[in-house]
């Protein structure tokens, strides 16, 4: 973070005890999403802190949910007529596997296409999915620090209420500890995602720990369709994030 200037300081909490980071889980299980956030005391149902989800049940790490709640309250003071809501937060391995396999097998369309039909080659199909979706075990959504807002389309954030939200977040999100991992102009990894934000005080630690505990062993013994197609690229996608998120 570059935010250590006077009142702008987003001071990172010190996590000296692994239990504070991972609770009863091993770092390895936590970082690949091998748990149910509903049963983990480190996680909070964001509806309980007054964050809009449009009817969805969404969990985040408590620290992230509380910071997000403060950020949305301050945003609403300046933009009382603009709605800011969360559409996705913690996704565990099973949830990410569902998204990945849906795109892999054609039951979830990508740009209106069934990729199993339009891209028979496994490597190319995986690269297409990886424009916006992670392989199970590599998603920042596993960590409980990352969430998606409002609409999953970059164009939404170029005019109207979407632009009001995005411009405000670009100026202010860092004050609450948030960064945009998938900015435009990065050299590798996922495409730009203006809707995806991350709570840096925790996610920067989880990124480091993913590299220490998962990277060399990925895809471990994990099972999902297309697992062999691009697992060698896992580290590239995990690590190609904006500098403000490291
Ligand atoms: Zn996301």
């Amino acid at each position: 973070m570059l935010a250590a200037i006077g009142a702008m300081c987003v001071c990172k909490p010190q996590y000296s005890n692994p239990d504070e980071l991972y609770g009863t889980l091993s770092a390895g299980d936590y970082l690949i999403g091998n748990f149910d956030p509903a049963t983990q005391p480190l996680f909070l149902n964001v509806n309980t802190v007054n964050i809009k989800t449009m009817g969805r049940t969404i969990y985040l790490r408590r620290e992230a949910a509380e910071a997000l709640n403060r950020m949305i309250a301050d945003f609403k003071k300046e933009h009382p007529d603009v709605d800011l809501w969360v559409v996705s937060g913690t996704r565990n391995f099973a949830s990410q596997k569902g998204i990945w396999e849906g795109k892999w097998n054609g039951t979830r369309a990508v740009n209106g296409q069934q990729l199993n039909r339009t891209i028979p080659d496994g490597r190319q199909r995986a690269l297409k999915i990886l424009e916006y979706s992670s392989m199970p075990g590599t998603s920042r959504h596993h960590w409980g620090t990352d969430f998606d807002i409002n609409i999953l389309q970059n164009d939404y954030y170029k005019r109207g209420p979407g632009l009001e939200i995005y411009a405000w977040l670009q100026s202010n999100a860092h004050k609450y500890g948030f960064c945009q991992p998938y900015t435009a102009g990065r050299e590798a990894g996922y495409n730009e995602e203006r809707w995806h934000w991350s709570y840096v005080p925790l996610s920067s630690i989880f990124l480091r720990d993913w590299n220490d505990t998962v990277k060399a062993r990925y895809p471990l013994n994990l099972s999902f369709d297309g697992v062999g197609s691009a697992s060698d690229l896992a580290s590239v996608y995990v690590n190609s994030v904006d500098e403000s998120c490291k």
Side-chain angles (χ1 to χ4, degrees):
M1 290 286 303
L2 296 172
I5 311 165
M8 303 283 278
C9 172
V10 179
C11 299
K12 289 188 179 180
Q14 298 299 309
Y15 292 95
S16 50
N17 181 349
D19 291 353
E20 296 173 83
L21 278 174
Y22 298 113
T24 57
L25 297 162
S26 71
D29 278 338
Y30 185 105
L31 295 167
I32 63 165
N34 189 23
F35 64 91
D36 175 3
T39 65
Q40 295 294 325
L42 296 173
F43 288 75
L44 197 67
N45 178 337
V46 303
N47 291 113
T48 65
V49 288
N50 215 17
I51 295 171
K52 279 192 183 183
T53 64
M54 302 303 189
R56 295 176 173 88
T57 300
I58 293 174
Y59 287 85
L60 285 174
R61 281 290 294 241
R62 287 178 180 279
E63 303 93 320
E66 286 161 5
L68 176 56
N69 196 39
R70 287 194 298 276
M71 183 167 79
I72 291 175
D74 288 348
F75 171 79
K76 292 293 285 185
K77 286 177 198 162
E78 294 179 40
H79 298 277
D81 300 328
V82 179
D83 257 340
L84 204 171
W85 66 96
V86 175
V87 297
S88 188
T90 307
R91 298 200 293 259
N92 66 10
F93 181 85
S95 169
Q96 193 66 28
K97 178 179 154 96
I99 293 171
W100 175 269
E101 290 188 338
K103 291 186 172 185
W104 181 267
N105 293 319
T107 54
R108 183 187 280 250
V110 177
N111 301 335
Q113 298 182 348
Q114 293 179 283
L115 296 187
N116 60 318
R117 295 170 182 261
T118 56
I119 311 182
D121 178 74
R123 181 73 165 189
Q124 293 307 316
R125 196 189 319 168
L127 291 174
K128 183 68 184 174
I129 299 171
L130 283 166
E131 289 180 0
Y132 292 103
S133 294
S134 304
M135 284 180 278
T138 71
S139 176
R140 295 173 68 95
H141 282 281
H142 294 329
W143 304 346
T145 52
D146 286 46
F147 55 90
D148 301 326
I149 60 169
N150 290 36
I151 305 285
L152 308 182
Q153 291 173 4
N154 289 312
D155 282 350
Y156 169 80
Y157 299 95
K158 293 176 182 169
R159 64 187 71 86
L163 177 58
E164 287 188 59
I165 291 169
Y166 187 64
W168 192 91
L169 290 176
Q170 283 188 301
S171 298
N172 296 288
H174 68 276
K175 299 173 191 170
Y176 305 84
F178 295 106
C179 71
Q180 181 193 350
Y182 310 126
T183 45
R186 293 161 16 262
E187 289 182 2
Y190 307 106
N191 285 0
E192 180 186 23
E193 294 189 359
R194 296 187 176 202
W195 55 86
H196 183 124
W197 294 81
S198 178
Y199 185 65
V200 190
L202 278 171
S203 60
S204 58
I205 299 174
F206 293 147
L207 176 61
R208 181 198 67 198
D209 287 0
W210 190 93
N211 283 320
D212 287 346
T213 62
V214 180
K215 183 165 104 174
R217 296 184 300 133
Y218 191 82
L220 305 109
N221 57 353
L222 298 173
S223 168
F224 57 91
D225 293 343
V227 63
S229 58
S231 54
D232 57 304
L233 298 178
S235 172
V236 173
Y237 282 84
V238 171
N239 284 290
S240 296
V241 295
D242 191 80
E243 286 300 316
S244 63
C245 297
K246 291 180 179 170

